[in-house]
Amino acid sequence: MKPSLVKGTRDFGPDKMVRRNYIFDTIKAVFQKFGFQPIETPAMENLSTLMGKYGEEGDQLLFKILNSGNFSEKITQNELDEGAKKLTLKISEKGLKYDLTVPFARFVVMNRNDLAMPFKRYQIQPVWRGDRPQRGRYREFYQCDADVVGTDSLVCEAEIVLMIHEVFKNLGINFSLKINNRKVLTGLSEAIGATGQEGNLAVAIDKLDKIGKEKVLEELAEKGFSPESLTKLDPVFDISGTNQEKFVKLEELLQDSETGKKGIEELRAVWNLLQSFGQTEENIELDITLARGLSYYTGAIFEVKALDVQMGSISGGGRYDNLTGTFGVAGLSGVGISFGVDRIYDVLEELNLFPENNSVTTKLLLCHFGEKELSYALPLLQKARLAGINTEVYPDVSKIKKQLDYADKKKISYVCIIGSEEMETGKLTLKNMITGEQEKLTFEEVITKLQ
């Protein structure tokens, strides 16, 4: 049988893994700099944990896992006739995690007595979504999340903005960061006479970039929004100008909504905190059409897009006040950010932003002419490794050309050639595989040169 991959999944060879680790390490260093601690959660969660946290569309994208054993034995014909949704609950109790935030909330509730609050955690793991695969969108992909839970302080929102800036500055990516507040969207639904429909409003407006204004309005009409409400919503799409000008227009629009005014107040506070940190707003935009479709967001929401390349969002997150409440523990507010490693990889690759030497894992290869030379090389191999140089020895007795081809294929920067003459004199031939330059050095000199 010819081997194949599941659609929307990928293998990663050494070259790609080195580049992916460069992204992971860059993000991880920023997380740790800001005081976040690592955790991991299982690939599988109970469906009772996952369902109802991502909105109706999110629930449909969950990968469900069939129960073990003869799960179909007790299913009646009536249950089969009731449809897939009810049948799923009979044959599946577990699912692959859709994101890292909901499992994190479950983790916090289960371990809250052992955690120092506020608890700052980061998590780098794969997640799974039954989405239609396309460029920049996969069914299995990694997320790099950082969340603070157990505090309402808007300092946390400001620090997330600072982390976003530092991560993308370190990766060399020009970006645009959009910020909004879900209370503003709730205020909008009240202002247009559609109180209680902020969820549908958020889901539709979240698609504005993809489907355009007219399609958004059509979807809202299908969801029951009246023509009068849609007419009142129209000015929202035309709000423009500087961030401060948008604040003024937004205050006029939501002057009769207490929830909306609270959202504006929180946004202004974040802007003031950023100013205190000395952060400019050069690439930060207040965007009141930003919604982030996930239903658990209740406050600030963030979305990052890379400039100079056609790609969806590469980072996003927000404030959630009620997530742990669904697991029986109310009052634990949290805010977090997620970096989409796979999309970030595609951006770095397309813009040629990976460091040139980033594919190198071995710096020195010891080559030899025979068994005696191989034996001579082994203690040298250990010396180089103890000196902190990534080193390997060619394990077989082969022609030097084959050994050099191996080094070339692995992009090893240096080879040390050991023959009978080198063993007698103690002067080894060090070859730079990039420039072709060769020189005779003692092994101590080789180590000094490569450290």
Side-chain angles (χ1 to χ4, degrees), residues 234-341:
D234 201 56
V236 171
F237 299 103
D238 300 321
I239 290 181
S240 59
T242 66
N243 289 324
Q244 295 308 315
E245 288 170 344
K246 289 178 183 177
F247 272 121
V248 172
K249 292 174 184 175
L250 198 54
E251 284 166 341
E252 292 174 2
L253 193 63
L254 301 182
Q255 58 185 320
D256 296 326
S257 168
E258 291 304 316
T259 305
K261 286 193 286 187
K262 177 65 175 172
I264 297 170
E265 179 187 325
E266 290 179 5
L267 284 169
R268 280 200 178 277
V270 171
W271 249 259
N272 292 335
L273 286 164
L274 290 172
Q275 196 171 26
S276 298
F277 278 118
Q279 178 64 55
T280 69
E281 58 175 318
E282 182 182 353
N283 54 355
I284 304 174
E285 179 188 350
L286 172 62
D287 183 355
I288 63 170
T289 64
L290 173 63
R292 301 291 298 168
L294 299 182
S295 61
Y296 54 65
Y297 290 130
T298 56
I301 42 180
F302 312 94
E303 186 168 273
V304 180
K305 290 194 175 180
L307 305 177
D308 313 315
V309 61
Q310 290 296 317
M311 180 67 68
S313 63
I314 57 176
S315 181
R319 165 73 64 174
Y320 43 89
D321 288 337
N322 310 316
L323 203 56
T324 55
T326 65
F327 300 117
V329 177
L332 280 177
S333 180
V335 61
I337 190 71
S338 178
F339 291 89
V341 171

Side-chain angles (χ1 to χ4, degrees), residues 341-396:
V341 171
D342 299 280
R343 288 188 177 184
I344 290 172
Y345 184 104
D346 291 344
V347 170
L348 290 173
E349 188 170 56
E350 184 169 334
L351 298 178
N352 197 27
L353 293 175
F354 281 109
E356 284 186 17
N357 65 345
N358 202 249
S359 61
V360 177
T361 53
T362 300
K363 192 169 188 178
L364 175 65
L365 173 70
L366 302 180
C367 300
H368 50 85
F369 282 91
E371 291 289 353
K372 289 182 181 178
E373 290 83 356
L374 175 58
S375 295
Y376 181 87
L378 294 182
L380 303 183
L381 173 66
Q382 191 68 354
K383 269 187 184 179
R385 288 173 175 168
L386 289 171
I389 300 167
N390 293 353
T391 310
E392 57 183 292
V393 65
Y394 197 81
D396 300 319

Side-chain angles (χ1 to χ4, degrees), residues 121-312:
R121 84 81 166 89
Y122 74 84
Q123 197 170 344
I124 300 176
Q125 286 187 268
V127 297
W128 295 266
R129 297 181 186 180
D131 224 335
R132 184 171 64 86
Q134 54 186 289
R135 180 176 177 273
R137 188 182 294 274
Y138 307 100
R139 286 177 172 166
E140 179 187 62
F141 57 96
Y142 268 76
Q143 286 186 338
C144 292
D145 282 18
D147 289 77
V148 189
V149 69
T151 175
D152 297 320
S153 173
L154 295 172
V155 169
C156 300
E157 273 84 340
E159 288 210 307
I160 280 177
V161 174
L162 296 179
M163 285 200 300
I164 289 169
H165 275 80
E166 187 153 347
V167 164
F168 291 116
K169 176 189 172 186
N170 293 347
L171 291 172
I173 295 175
N174 293 322
F175 68 96
S176 168
L177 166 60
K178 294 185 176 183
I179 305 177
N180 195 14
N181 192 299
R182 284 298 276 265
K183 294 182 180 70
V184 168
L185 291 168
T186 300
L188 282 176
S189 66
E190 293 173 359
I192 65 174
T195 301
Q197 295 206 61
E198 57 270 16
N200 288 330
L201 180 63
V203 169
I205 284 186
D206 194 47
K207 302 173 185 174
L208 183 63
D209 286 348
K210 302 184 188 78
I211 64 177
K213 172 184 168 182
E214 295 306 318
K215 292 289 185 183
V216 168
L217 293 175
E218 282 180 24
E219 182 170 324
L220 289 171
E222 290 170 4
K223 294 286 185 180
F225 283 70
S226 68
E228 293 78 16
S229 292
L230 297 181
T231 300
K232 290 179 182 178
L233 183 65
D234 201 56
V236 171
F237 299 103
D238 300 321
I239 290 181
S240 59
T242 66
N243 289 324
Q244 295 308 315
E245 288 170 344
K246 289 178 183 177
F247 272 121
V248 172
K249 292 174 184 175
L250 198 54
E251 284 166 341
E252 292 174 2
L253 193 63
L254 301 182
Q255 58 185 320
D256 296 326
S257 168
E258 291 304 316
T259 305
K261 286 193 286 187
K262 177 65 175 172
I264 297 170
E265 179 187 325
E266 290 179 5
L267 284 169
R268 280 200 178 277
V270 171
W271 249 259
N272 292 335
L273 286 164
L274 290 172
Q275 196 171 26
S276 298
F277 278 118
Q279 178 64 55
T280 69
E281 58 175 318
E282 182 182 353
N283 54 355
I284 304 174
E285 179 188 350
L286 172 62
D287 183 355
I288 63 170
T289 64
L290 173 63
R292 301 291 298 168
L294 299 182
S295 61
Y296 54 65
Y297 290 130
T298 56
I301 42 180
F302 312 94
E303 186 168 273
V304 180
K305 290 194 175 180
L307 305 177
D308 313 315
V309 61
Q310 290 296 317
M311 180 67 68

Side-chain angles (χ1 to χ4, degrees), residues 33-50:
K33 183 176 179 180
F34 280 73
F36 290 79
Q37 297 176 294
I39 69 162
E40 284 196 356
T41 56
M44 295 179 292
E45 293 280 351
N46 292 318
L47 281 181
S48 58
T49 296
L50 300 174

